[in-house]
Amino acid sequence: MKFHAAMMPCVSRYTGRMFQTRRFQHCPVCGGQIEYRIPADDNRERATCTVCGTIQYENPLNVVGTLPVWGDQVLLCRRAIEPRLGKWTLPAGFMELGETLAQGAQRETDEEAGVQIEMQDLYCVMNVVRVGQVHLFYRARMLAPDCDPGPETLEARLFHEHEVPWDELAFHTVRYALERFFEDRRRGQGFPLHTADIA
Amino acid sequence: MKFHAAMMPCVSRYTGRMFQTRRFQHCPVCGGQIEYRIPADDNRERATCTVCGTIQYENPLNVVGTLPVWGDQVLLCRRAIEPRLGKWTLPAGFMELGETLAQGAQRETDEEAGVQIEMQDLYCVMNVVRVGQVHLFYRARMLAPDCDPGPETLEARLFHEHEVPWDELAFHTVRYALERFFEDRRRGQGFPLHTADIA
C-alpha cells in the first residue's frame, strides 16, 4: 500500500472534528488563485477559482486489497516504504481509474506480493474517516505458495494464525480483517461481509 | 445524485479502452504548467508539475445512496437536475470527506428525498468503470411514508413493484439495485450483498 504525499495531507487536514482540507492553492484549469467558499447551491466549502470560477471537489478515496490464503496460512507483506516502514500489511493500495474494486485489489496483490490468486468475495468494507479513505478487502485463494514481492515490500511470507505479528501490523484495517477472518474460520459458517468504522 | 461538471469529465476521459484523464493543466500547489508523465517509481501517467514537481493523483469516487422501503413500496425521486433531468432515481450522491459510506448515503437520502429512515445493510456494490465511480447502495426502512424532497428532486413518491417506471430510470445502477431487491423479496431468503460491474 503506497501512500503518496499528495494523497496523505489527511492527518493534518483535521483539527479536532473540523475537517480542513486545503489541497488547492491554484486552479488546475487556469492557474488562478483558489479561495475556499461555499457555492450558492451547496453547503460545504469548496476550492473555487477566483478567476474562472471552476470548483474542485475533494472526496474520500478507496484503498483496495486482498487477504490471500494458502491452506490454513495467510500472506502478509512487510512494508519497504513509509508510512509504517517495516510493519506487516495485507497487500493493498489506492484504486485507480479504469479498474473495478476487484481488479484494483488483484493488481495491488500482484505488485506488492507477486502471488498468483483466485479472487473471492468482498469481505471487509471499512471506513477510515479520519484520513478520508474507505478500505475494501477481498478474500483470495493463493494458487501456489510462492511469492515475488515488488519494490514496496521487504518480504512476503505465509503465517499460521499463532504466528501473526499482531503487534507489528501496519494498519488498524489489516488487524480488523485478519481478526474477522480467523473468527469466521473457527466458527465454520462461511465468510460474510463485515463492515466497520475504524477510528 | 448531483454530478458536478468538475467531476464528470469522465465520459470524455476515455477513448475506447484507453483512459485519458486531463483534469489538470495547472499545478494546484504553485500554479505551474502540468505535464502528464510516468513518475520514476510508477507505471501510469500522472499530472506532474513542471515547476515544483508535485504529482496529482486522480482516482475513482464513491457514489452512496439508499433503497428506501415503506411496506411493499420503494421510494424513487424524479431528478430536477442534469444529467437525466426528469428521470427517476434512488437518492444518492458523491460521498464527502468527513463521513462514512452509510452516513453519506443517509445524508443524500435526507437531501434529495427528505424521508426519515433507519439505515440497514450495505446491499449493492457496483463498479461503473467508464465514469470512474463505485456506487454503493444501502437498504433503508422508512419510518413514515412522508417525504420532503430538496431542490435536486422534482418529486419523490412510493412505488409498488408493478408501478416502477423501468423505462424512465436515470441510471443503470438504480435499475440493478431495484431488480435485485424485488428478486430477493420474492425469493424470501434475505437480502445478501450484490456486486456487479455496470457497463
Side-chain angles (χ1 to χ4, degrees):
Chain A
M1 187 179 321
K2 186 156 129 194
F3 291 93
H4 306 284
M7 309 192 76
M8 284 291 288
C10 326
V11 172
S12 61
R13 283 198 298 208
Y14 289 89
T15 306
R17 291 184 56 113
M18 182 67 180
F19 197 90
Q20 300 190 321
T21 169
R22 289 289 183 270
R23 174 181 169 197
F24 291 90
Q25 284 99 54
H26 290 270
C27 172
V29 176
C30 80
Q33 195 67 38
I34 287 286
E35 263 183 29
Y36 279 79
R37 56 169 83 137
I38 302 175
D41 61 345
D42 206 335
N43 52 22
R44 288 169 190 252
E45 285 197 345
R46 309 288 185 183
T48 309
C49 180
T50 56
V51 178
C52 74
T54 302
I55 298 171
Q56 298 299 320
Y57 295 87
E58 295 157 75
N59 301 80
L61 299 179
N62 290 333
V63 168
V64 288
T66 63
L67 197 164
V69 176
W70 174 255
D72 62 349
Q73 299 175 90
V74 298
L75 185 96
L76 295 174
C77 301
R78 201 153 74 87
R79 293 175 57 80
I81 53 176
E82 292 291 358
R84 310 282 191 269
L85 193 153
K87 302 294 184 187
W88 291 90
T89 187
L90 292 166
F94 286 104
M95 183 186 188
E96 297 275 6
L97 290 170
E99 68 188 12
T100 65
L101 291 163
Q103 286 167 348
Q106 186 156 21
R107 174 184 52 72
E108 287 289 343
T109 306
D110 182 47
E111 288 176 8
E112 300 196 349
V115 296
Q116 297 299 306
I117 55 172
E118 174 189 279
M119 290 293 289
Q120 296 177 300
D121 287 342
L122 180 58
Y123 184 51
C124 291
V125 176
M126 300 161 286
N127 297 285
V128 195
V129 173
R130 186 177 51 83
V131 293
Q133 296 173 3
V134 181
H135 291 206
L136 302 105
F137 284 81
Y138 289 77
R139 286 183 306 110
R141 192 172 71 84
M142 289 175 64
L143 302 177
D146 317 305
C147 56
D148 177 21
E152 297 174 26
T153 302
L154 292 172
E155 58 177 315
R157 55 160 283 213
L158 294 165
F159 291 87
H160 293 280
E161 181 175 359
H162 69 273
E163 298 171 324
V164 170
W166 294 105
D167 294 335
E168 296 292 318
L169 296 180
F171 304 106
H172 291 305
T173 53
V174 169
R175 167 183 286 269
Y176 179 86
L178 289 170
E179 286 176 346
R180 296 297 80 68
F181 174 74
F182 291 121
E183 272 177 20
D184 284 343
R185 198 172 62 177
R186 266 194 300 279
R187 193 171 289 131
Q189 300 186 349
F191 296 91
L193 179 75
H194 295 278
T195 60
D197 303 336
I198 306 288
Chain B
M1 185 178 326
K2 187 157 130 192
F3 290 94
H4 305 284
M7 309 192 77
M8 285 290 288
C10 327
V11 172
S12 61
R13 283 199 298 210
Y14 289 88
T15 305
R17 290 185 56 113
M18 182 66 179
F19 197 91
Q20 301 191 321
T21 171
R22 289 289 183 270
R23 173 181 169 197
F24 290 90
Q25 285 100 52
H26 290 270
C27 173
V29 176
C30 79
Q33 195 67 39
I34 287 286
E35 262 183 31
Y36 279 78
R37 58 169 82 137
I38 302 175
D41 61 345
D42 207 333
N43 51 22
R44 288 169 190 252
E45 285 196 344
R46 309 285 185 185
T48 309
C49 180
T50 56
V51 178
C52 75
T54 301
I55 298 172
Q56 298 298 322
Y57 296 87
E58 295 156 79
N59 301 81
L61 299 179
N62 290 333
V63 169
V64 288
T66 63
L67 197 165
V69 177
W70 175 255
D72 63 348
Q73 300 175 88
V74 298
L75 185 96
L76 295 174
C77 301
R78 200 154 74 85
R79 293 174 56 79
I81 51 174
E82 293 290 357
R84 309 282 191 272
L85 192 153
K87 303 295 186 188
W88 292 90
T89 186
L90 292 166
F94 286 105
M95 184 186 187
E96 298 275 5
L97 291 171
E99 67 188 12
T100 65
L101 292 163
Q103 286 167 348
Q106 186 156 19
R107 173 185 52 73
E108 288 288 343
T109 305
D110 182 46
E111 288 176 7
E112 300 196 348
V115 296
Q116 296 299 307
I117 54 171
E118 175 189 279
M119 291 292 290
Q120 297 177 299
D121 286 343
L122 181 58
Y123 184 51
C124 290
V125 176
M126 300 162 284
N127 297 285
V128 196
V129 172
R130 186 178 51 83
V131 293
Q133 295 173 4
V134 181
H135 290 206
L136 302 105
F137 285 80
Y138 288 76
R139 286 185 305 111
R141 191 172 72 82
M142 288 174 66
L143 302 177
D146 316 306
C147 57
D148 177 21
E152 296 174 27
T153 302
L154 293 173
E155 58 177 315
R157 53 161 284 208
L158 294 165
F159 291 87
H160 293 280
E161 180 174 2
H162 69 274
E163 298 170 323
V164 170
W166 293 105
D167 294 336
E168 296 292 317
L169 295 180
F171 303 105
H172 292 305
T173 52
V174 169
R175 167 183 285 272
Y176 179 85
L178 289 171
E179 286 176 347
R180 295 299 76 71
F181 175 74
F182 291 121
E183 274 176 20
D184 284 342
R185 199 173 60 176
R186 267 195 298 281
R187 194 171 289 127
Q189 299 186 348
F191 296 91
L193 180 76
H194 295 278
T195 60
D197 301 337
I198 307 288

